[in-house]
Amino acid sequence: MEQLKQRILNEGIVISDEILKVDSFLNHQIDPLLMHDIGAEFARRFARRRVTKILTLESSGIAPALMTGLLLRVPVIFAKKRIPSTLTQGFYRASVFSYTKQETTELIVAERFLTPADTILIIDDFLANGEAARGLTDIVTRSGASLAGIGVVIEKAFQPGGALLRERGLRVDSLVRIRRLAPDGIEFVDE
Amino acid sequence: MEQLKQRILNEGIVISDEILKVDSFLNHQIDPLLMHDIGAEFARRFARRRVTKILTLESSGIAPALMTGLLLRVPVIFAKKRIPSTLTQGFYRASVFSYTKQETTELIVAERFLTPADTILIIDDFLANGEAARGLTDIVTRSGASLAGIGVVIEKAFQPGGALLRERGLRVDSLVRIRRLAPDGIEFVDE
């Protein structure tokens, strides 16, 4: 997605060879018009998969997931990292390890929002080690719903998450894939 | 906003006389089409205020804020509750107490996204005691930006936040105001 590459090149800050900061348009300040275009691209790519719900996790996945849901006209569920005080009925939980934060967090999804009749599209902002995507796919599997695939805004292709998910036969669609992060530049996988 | 009242009446669950659960369309599962209509309503109400940025907080404020930003064509900033590992430059912080969770959380906003040239519209899902709105208005004040007002999806008018903010001369626009929560029903303020 050329527009997204340009924003990453113009505004992305390479913090280390593993960490890219894109907080001016994606995960602190958000550009709603870019998110709309991202949603339109995911909607186009998954248009034939009969998606009934989008699943993401708080907080940075919400914006691209919401715009995809708007354009596919389906509800969006965001997994919570803590059990809400109002979640009194059953819920799925999955533990995921964040390498960036070096800690384990939980993903919580109310059972009643996922049924065997659903076809779920998972959306997230970043794919690196694939822990969050693994946790979300585990929850989808346990619910009995079908999984249409995983839509990722930015994949760090030099980290193993994308390969691990694709080896499992899952469809992973990343809008941009980064081959290498370095102080002198950001290299994309040619596609 | 009649459509929102109907959704609250049809799907809202009264957990206690202070807590309303609306997790089927607002803060766990999200209805993107409803959020779009909510965004359109906030955009209409604040159309003449020359808003340059929207400010909200993670996570449940993001959806209504993003749609408002889409329709006003301005960026959306969401305050974080933890300092991100990538936030290496200056940031504002405000402590807010959540009565629902009975704990103090921090709101963090990178300094570089708020300038004295900005006019900020604060958007949030709920207004109860007004702590989150107070924290966000404090950050706007410290940045030197102007405040256009506060847009709230659901105001619990029986709690003091709305009155406290309006007494300070702030414009608070709530799409629905709830007068009373009871097991036998939800009463709205007539408007």
Side-chain angles (χ1 to χ4, degrees):
Chain A
M1 193 178 170
E2 194 52 38
Q3 177 193 2
L4 179 59
K5 280 187 186 170
Q6 286 306 319
R7 292 295 289 271
I8 292 170
L9 290 173
N10 291 340
E11 300 175 40
I13 298 166
V14 177
I15 303 280
S16 72
D17 57 5
E18 294 198 339
I19 298 180
L20 173 68
K21 176 170 160 172
V22 285
D23 69 351
S24 67
F25 61 85
L26 183 57
N27 48 27
H28 182 23
Q29 182 169 260
I30 308 172
D31 179 343
L33 301 170
L34 176 65
M35 290 306 123
H36 187 272
D37 291 349
I38 284 171
E41 179 64 20
F42 284 132
R44 189 184 67 75
R45 293 187 186 202
F46 288 92
R48 300 181 66 162
R49 294 293 181 112
R50 299 176 187 269
V51 172
T52 62
K53 291 198 174 177
I54 312 273
L55 178 63
T56 187
L57 69 161
E58 58 182 356
S59 291
S60 299
I62 294 173
L66 185 70
M67 290 302 185
T68 309
L70 180 71
L71 293 159
L72 289 175
R73 305 182 77 85
V74 298
V76 174
I77 302 158
F78 65 93
K80 305 220 166 197
K81 292 179 179 169
R82 291 177 54 175
I83 301 171
S85 59
T86 55
L87 191 53
T88 44
Q89 293 166 288
F91 49 84
Y92 300 107
R93 64 203 301 170
S95 293
V96 302
F97 183 73
S98 166
Y99 289 86
T100 311
K101 296 179 185 162
Q102 285 291 314
E103 64 179 29
T104 298
T105 49
E106 298 236 76
L107 301 182
I108 310 286
V109 177
E111 286 177 5
R112 67 192 170 107
F113 296 133
L114 298 174
T115 76
D118 281 313
T119 299
I120 306 298
L121 170 59
I122 292 172
I123 297 282
D124 204 4
D125 59 336
F126 271 98
L127 172 60
N129 290 287
E131 276 285 288
R134 184 192 54 70
L136 293 176
T137 59
D138 285 356
I139 287 172
V140 171
T141 301
R142 276 185 275 156
S143 75
S146 304
L147 182 64
I150 301 167
V152 171
V153 180
I154 301 175
E155 179 180 345
K156 296 180 189 168
F158 55 88
Q159 288 181 308
L164 288 169
L165 294 164
R166 292 181 182 103
E167 277 164 19
R168 287 173 51 198
L170 301 176
R171 174 172 169 185
V172 181
D173 258 54
S174 302
L175 301 187
V176 304
R177 303 181 71 216
I178 293 176
R179 184 202 305 279
R180 182 168 164 271
L181 286 177
D184 60 330
I186 299 163
E187 284 174 26
F188 295 101
V189 177
D190 296 323
E191 285 173 299
Chain B
M1 192 177 170
E2 194 54 37
Q3 179 194 175
L4 178 59
K5 280 187 187 170
Q6 287 306 319
R7 292 295 289 270
I8 292 169
L9 290 173
N10 292 339
E11 299 175 38
I13 298 167
V14 176
I15 301 280
S16 72
D17 57 5
E18 294 198 339
I19 298 181
L20 173 67
K21 175 170 161 173
V22 284
D23 69 352
S24 66
F25 60 86
L26 183 56
N27 47 27
H28 181 23
Q29 180 169 262
I30 309 172
D31 178 342
L33 301 171
L34 177 64
M35 289 306 124
H36 186 273
D37 290 348
I38 284 171
E41 179 64 20
F42 284 132
R44 188 185 67 75
R45 293 188 187 202
F46 288 93
R48 302 180 65 160
R49 294 294 180 110
R50 298 174 187 272
V51 172
T52 62
K53 291 197 174 178
I54 313 274
L55 179 62
T56 188
L57 69 161
E58 61 182 355
S59 292
S60 298
I62 295 174
L66 184 70
M67 290 302 184
T68 310
L70 180 71
L71 293 159
L72 289 175
R73 305 183 78 83
V74 297
V76 173
I77 302 158
F78 64 94
K80 304 219 167 198
K81 292 180 178 168
R82 291 176 53 175
I83 301 172
S85 58
T86 55
L87 191 53
T88 45
Q89 294 166 288
F91 49 83
Y92 301 106
R93 65 203 301 169
S95 293
V96 302
F97 183 73
S98 165
Y99 289 86
T100 311
K101 296 179 186 164
Q102 285 291 314
E103 65 179 27
T104 298
T105 49
E106 297 236 76
L107 301 182
I108 310 286
V109 178
E111 286 177 5
R112 66 192 172 108
F113 296 133
L114 297 174
T115 76
D118 281 314
T119 299
I120 306 298
L121 170 60
I122 291 172
I123 297 282
D124 203 3
D125 59 336
F126 271 98
L127 173 60
N129 290 287
E131 275 286 285
R134 183 193 54 68
L136 293 175
T137 60
D138 286 355
I139 288 172
V140 172
T141 302
R142 277 185 276 154
S143 76
S146 304
L147 182 64
I150 301 166
V152 171
V153 180
I154 302 175
E155 178 178 344
K156 295 180 189 167
F158 55 88
Q159 287 179 309
L164 288 170
L165 293 164
R166 291 180 182 102
E167 277 164 21
R168 286 171 52 196
L170 301 177
R171 174 173 168 186
V172 181
D173 259 53
S174 303
L175 300 188
V176 304
R177 302 180 71 215
I178 293 175
R179 184 204 305 278
R180 181 168 164 273
L181 287 177
D184 59 330
I186 299 164
E187 284 175 24
F188 296 102
V189 177
D190 295 322
E191 282 173 301

